[in-house]
Amino acid sequence: MAVAETQLYSKVFNKVKKNRSTCALLESLLSMGFPAHTAQKALAATGHKTIEEASRWLHSHCNDPSLDDPIPQEYALYLCPSGPLYEKLQEFWKESKHQCARNKAHEIFPHITLCDFFTCEDQKVEVLHETLKKVGDRFLNCFPPVISLSLHSSASYLGFFIHDAHANIIKEFAVAFATEASILAGTINVNWKLIIILFLDCHVKPCTKQLHLTLSHKFYPHHQKTLEQLARSINPGQSCQWTAALYSRDMRFVNYQVLQAVFQYKPQNIDELMLNAGDFLYVDRSQQSDVSEGWVIGTSHRTGCRGFLPENYTEKANESDTWVKHRLVKFLSVISRDMHAWLYSPMYPSTTGKMLSSLLSQTVVLRRGLLVMRHGERVDQVFGKSWVQQCVMVDGKYHRADLNFPPSLPKRKDGIKHFEYDPPLSCCGIFQSRLVGEALLEKQEAVSHVYCSPALRCIQTAQHVLEGLKLEQKIKIKVEPGLFEWTKWEASKIIPSFMSLTELAEATYNVDTSYRCTFPVSSLVPSESYEEYVNRCSAVIKQIVRACTSDAGIILIVGHGSSLDSFTRPVLGLPARDSNDFSQLVRKIPSLGMCFCEELKEENRWQMINPPVKTLTHGSNAAFNWRNGILDS
């Protein structure tokens, strides 16, 4: 963009803002040298979350031919479910796709539309955020704590309709947001080619039709009965937390098909796209007539660039996979109907949320679950069994030989050599564990108990997960030797010398020194048989579940790769797996892999469902010595 155009943009921008101070995020981007209009486009495209995300977006889109075009995003306000009801809806989504193929509903996550898509200029998006918070505050005491849903079916539609009494309040919320957003979000439309500046209104249209949550739409008529049967397995009265969330999408690609790259592809010609695994691509099927078989023309969501790509390197994705979530308001369903509260986005915790947190922890309807998790990355997993020799100096003191070695090792009376068979987490393992805890906190999962294998790597994982959950001072870790690995797999052929509870407490791990374990260390048998191991696991996990019968919330078990199978099957009432199959399964379980079981109290049984947080995937990073290659060349 020319200098004169930048100056003109700045003049108009300052006039419209009426001397309001520029937001901190925008100021930071401007200080990096990014033009105002592209900086605002990056913030809008990433949800105004962090400088890092916006900066990364700008660098990725440096070759985007549309970067300077004043094309705004489209926004919509949805009411979205979470918790047990959401899990059931996801199961329906998966099973309906499997039995009846994809239909229009699969393109978007479960939701109730509050406001149809509307445009808003990039520099006015913050007004939408402020409006959502303001209107949410106004509906603090009147939003329904429970939303009544009834199943409706026709030849081309299947979904839940909202009861009128509840729908009217929700519509009032949507109308209030739409009205204030339309008034406040006056926007600037600048045509840089003609240097014409137009002042336009942001027109937000609330949904006035029958409010509904779609299950299936535009399906084949002969699939109706099957879909109805699957839908009846969803209990609309299950506990659910509703969230009013503001989403945005790129209006240029509304009617395009979305693909996702499965493999990396390096261009062989100048007109081909670079693909990274996970990239989303927009493809217009009406413009593929002249393309060679097996190839399509697409636009990269990550870079904004357009080119040819091999279609067999991709798979179909959902329309909403490319959408950006902006701000949200959470409505908490509680037992007391006289108490309704909302909490703003976790990124900007409110004083109200902090004041209510202790009270809500007692009144929110909690599910009872069992989350079994493998420990994080251990140091010998990266540096091999000889890692101790790499980091011990001549005088016997610990030396950090690589940044992925832990900064220090806890003190233990039997000396540093015993870390060889009881290794700690690597620095990446510590980060992974805390990240999982933060993800559980974001999902507002109520962890009530933590049981842990006596292996140091497991105790450290539990500690850092609790730190991520901000519960490290509230929940103590119960060290249970019965949760240890199958001893047959121990390389030393003996039971490792674990740190004592006293040593762990002195090392600031918040262990429960008063807990009396079910299966003491002295009862662990070296090289135990598979039958002995299975019996041990079954006895220990059943005792833990019985001990927590009176408490709602999630029981967190931090163990080993084998734990995910050996501690869930007894709870689910399943027989032990064949030992060969068991060994093959365990090899595939990554660091922080997890399984989740939910109790169905009315049916007196447990079922396995999706874990509350996503899998953590990352790549390897080889050791690097700058002298080799850089200096030599």
Side-chain angles (χ1 to χ4, degrees):
M1 187 169 66
V3 175
E5 292 169 355
T6 302
Q7 292 173 346
L8 175 61
Y9 185 93
S10 299
K11 273 187 179 181
V12 175
F13 180 70
N14 291 333
K15 181 179 179 181
V16 174
K17 291 201 69 157
K18 295 181 181 178
N19 297 321
R20 282 173 52 196
S21 59
T22 309
C23 73
L25 294 177
L26 181 57
E27 283 182 348
S28 297
L29 292 174
L30 294 177
S31 68
M32 297 178 188
F34 295 111
H37 70 293
T38 56
Q40 288 170 335
K41 177 174 280 194
L43 289 171
T46 57
H48 281 73
K49 293 184 176 68
T50 65
I51 292 297
E52 291 75 16
E53 286 189 56
S55 178
R56 189 161 54 244
W57 186 94
L58 285 164
H59 287 297
S60 296
H61 285 256
C62 61
N63 295 319
D64 184 349
S66 65
L67 187 60
D68 288 327
D69 292 345
I71 302 174
Q73 296 274 312
E74 279 191 324
Y75 298 83
L77 186 64
Y78 285 164
L79 190 64
C80 306
S82 61
L85 177 60
Y86 175 78
E87 298 289 348
K88 284 293 185 182
L89 291 170
Q90 286 295 87
E91 289 177 22
F92 172 86
W93 246 250
K94 181 179 178 181
E95 195 59 33
S96 63
K97 190 186 298 183
H98 173 69
Q99 294 193 30
C100 305
R102 289 173 66 98
N103 61 66
K104 195 67 176 175
H106 291 124
E107 292 292 327
I108 306 176
F109 44 79
H111 69 281
I112 298 170
T113 302
L114 300 184
C115 294
D116 295 329
F117 273 101
F118 59 92
T119 58
C120 178
E121 296 292 334
D122 297 336
Q123 61 268 31
K124 287 293 184 176
V125 175
E126 282 184 289
V127 175
L128 298 181
H129 298 170
E130 294 166 6
T131 302
L132 180 58
K133 183 180 186 302
K134 182 179 178 181
V135 174
D137 196 7
R138 192 187 309 162
F139 279 75
L140 176 67
N141 297 315
C142 59
F143 202 89
V146 178
I147 296 177
S148 179
L149 305 173
S150 58
L151 189 64
H152 173 81
S153 179
S154 68
S156 62
Y157 176 85
L158 178 69
F160 289 115
F161 280 6
I162 316 302
H163 189 274
D164 286 346
H166 297 158
N168 291 337
I169 298 174
I170 297 172
K171 286 180 181 179
E172 287 178 19
F173 171 77
V175 169
F177 170 80
T179 303
E180 296 206 21
S182 297
I183 294 172
L184 296 174
T187 61
I188 306 170
N189 183 21
V190 183
N191 187 325
W192 295 114
K193 304 288 184 182
L194 303 175
I195 318 297
I196 295 175
I197 303 170
L198 303 174
F199 289 85
L200 302 174
D201 287 332
C202 172
H203 181 62
V204 186
K205 182 182 178 183
C207 184
T208 56
K209 299 178 181 178
Q210 169 73 57
L211 293 184
H212 57 275
L213 192 159
T214 300
L215 296 176
S216 297
H217 181 44
K218 293 186 177 179
F219 48 82
Y220 292 110
H222 62 275
H223 286 153
Q224 183 177 353
K225 286 188 177 180
T226 303
L227 292 169
E228 286 176 355
Q229 289 175 350
L230 292 173
R232 291 192 186 99
S233 67
I234 304 172
N235 176 12
Q238 282 189 299
S239 59
C240 176
Q241 181 181 49
W242 292 93
T243 301
L246 188 67
Y247 288 89
S248 71
R249 68 183 182 186
D250 193 322
M251 62 186 299
R252 297 173 299 167
F253 305 110
V254 170
N255 296 315
Y256 284 52
Q257 184 182 54
V258 179
L259 301 178
Q260 185 173 24
V262 181
F263 309 106
Q264 185 183 47
Y265 177 74
K266 294 183 179 180
Q268 307 298 312
N269 298 293
I270 195 171
D271 58 355
E272 295 175 2
L273 272 181
M274 171 72 182
L275 299 182
N276 290 333
D279 281 359
F280 290 106
L281 296 313
Y282 299 108
V283 174
D284 185 351
R285 287 296 176 186
S286 66
Q287 297 181 4
Q288 307 298 322
S289 57
D290 297 329
V291 181
S292 302
E293 186 176 355
W295 291 76
V296 291
I297 299 175
T299 302
S300 171
H301 173 71
R302 179 175 58 85
T303 66
C305 296
R306 189 169 185 265
F308 292 91
L309 60 122
E311 190 169 12
N312 62 347
Y313 276 56
T314 67
E315 63 183 8
K316 288 183 179 180
N318 298 329
E319 176 188 336
S320 59
D321 289 340
T322 60
W323 294 1
V324 177
K325 182 189 285 187
H326 290 254
R327 296 298 183 265
L328 50 86
V329 172
K330 294 184 178 180
F331 300 96
L332 299 184
S333 299
V334 296
I335 293 175
S336 172
R337 288 177 176 263
D338 296 324
M339 178 183 172
H340 317 313
W342 67 270
L343 297 179
Y344 198 51
S345 171
M347 292 173 54
Y348 304 99
S350 64
T351 306
T352 304
K354 292 179 180 178
M355 292 173 61
L356 290 174
S357 60
S358 59
L359 182 59
L360 289 175
S361 64
Q362 301 172 21
T363 58
V364 174
V365 179
L366 300 176
R367 60 175 172 174
R368 185 162 178 254
L370 177 70
L371 180 61
V372 184
M373 179 188 302
R374 189 191 178 194
H375 56 76
E377 180 185 87
R378 46 193 276 183
V379 71
D380 62 332
Q381 186 180 335
V382 183
F383 300 102
K385 295 296 181 184
S386 62
W387 71 273
V388 174
Q389 287 71 40
Q390 298 176 45
C391 62
V392 177
M393 305 295 286
V394 177
D395 58 3
K397 292 184 178 179
Y398 175 76
H399 164 69
R400 193 181 189 186
D402 185 280
L403 285 180
N404 202 18
F405 277 91
S408 61
L409 294 177
K411 292 181 180 179
R412 56 190 305 168
K413 63 183 179 181
D414 48 14
I416 197 172
K417 64 178 182 179
H418 284 280
F419 283 114
E420 183 175 347
Y421 297 111
D422 186 24
L425 293 180
S426 66
C427 269
C428 286
I430 293 170
F431 168 75
Q432 293 169 340
S433 305
R434 192 174 291 116
L435 191 64
V436 168
E438 291 171 355
L440 289 169
L441 175 64
E442 186 179 343
K443 293 290 186 179
Q444 298 187 349
E445 295 295 345
V447 173
S448 54
H449 296 278
V450 178
Y451 291 83
C452 184
S453 162
L456 177 59
R457 56 193 180 272
C458 298
I459 292 164
Q460 289 179 318
T461 299
Q463 177 75 21
H464 293 296
V465 168
L466 285 174
E467 288 176 5
L469 277 162
K470 302 189 186 304
L471 294 174
E472 70 274 17
Q473 300 300 322
K474 298 179 181 179
I475 297 180
K476 290 185 178 292
I477 302 167
K478 297 178 176 64
V479 180
E480 175 54 67
L483 298 176
F484 186 58
E485 181 68 275
W486 184 10
T487 60
K488 178 185 175 181
W489 287 343
E490 281 300 301
S492 61
K493 302 303 179 185
I494 60 172
I495 304 301
S497 176
F498 301 117
M499 292 178 66
S500 67
L501 292 179
T502 302
E503 289 175 320
L504 291 167
E506 289 174 352
T508 68
Y509 298 116
N510 192 22
V511 294
D512 188 348
T513 54
S514 64
Y515 173 68
R516 296 294 174 260
C517 57
T518 302
F519 205 94
V521 174
S522 58
S523 299
L524 290 175
V525 179
S527 300
E528 65 189 331
S529 68
Y530 181 60
E531 184 179 2
E532 289 173 324
Y533 168 69
V534 167
N535 291 338
R536 162 164 65 92
C537 294
S538 179
V540 169
I541 197 62
K542 288 179 180 178
Q543 176 58 33
I544 289 174
V545 171
R546 278 197 299 269
C548 303
T549 300
S550 60
D551 298 330
I554 293 174
I555 307 166
L556 173 61
I557 305 291
V558 182
H560 307 266
S562 57
S563 304
L564 274 68
D565 188 72
S566 55
F567 294 128
T568 56
R569 293 182 78 82
V571 173
L572 296 170
L574 299 175
R577 198 183 297 272
D578 178 80
S579 60
N580 291 329
D581 293 341
F582 175 75
S583 299
Q584 292 295 326
L585 172 70
V586 172
R587 290 191 183 97
K588 300 175 183 177
I589 295 174
S591 300
L592 274 305
M594 60 185 79
C595 285
F596 187 73
C597 299
E598 181 184 45
E599 183 185 33
L600 301 176
K601 198 152 190 167
E602 299 80 6
E603 303 176 27
N604 193 29
R605 67 182 182 90
W606 292 70
Q607 66 173 359
M608 186 173 286
I609 61 174
N610 289 330
V613 298
K614 299 291 185 182
T615 302
L616 174 65
T617 307
H618 59 87
S620 59
N621 196 49
F624 173 69
N625 188 328
W626 64 273
R627 292 184 180 275
N628 299 335
I630 303 295
L631 184 63
D632 296 345
S633 60

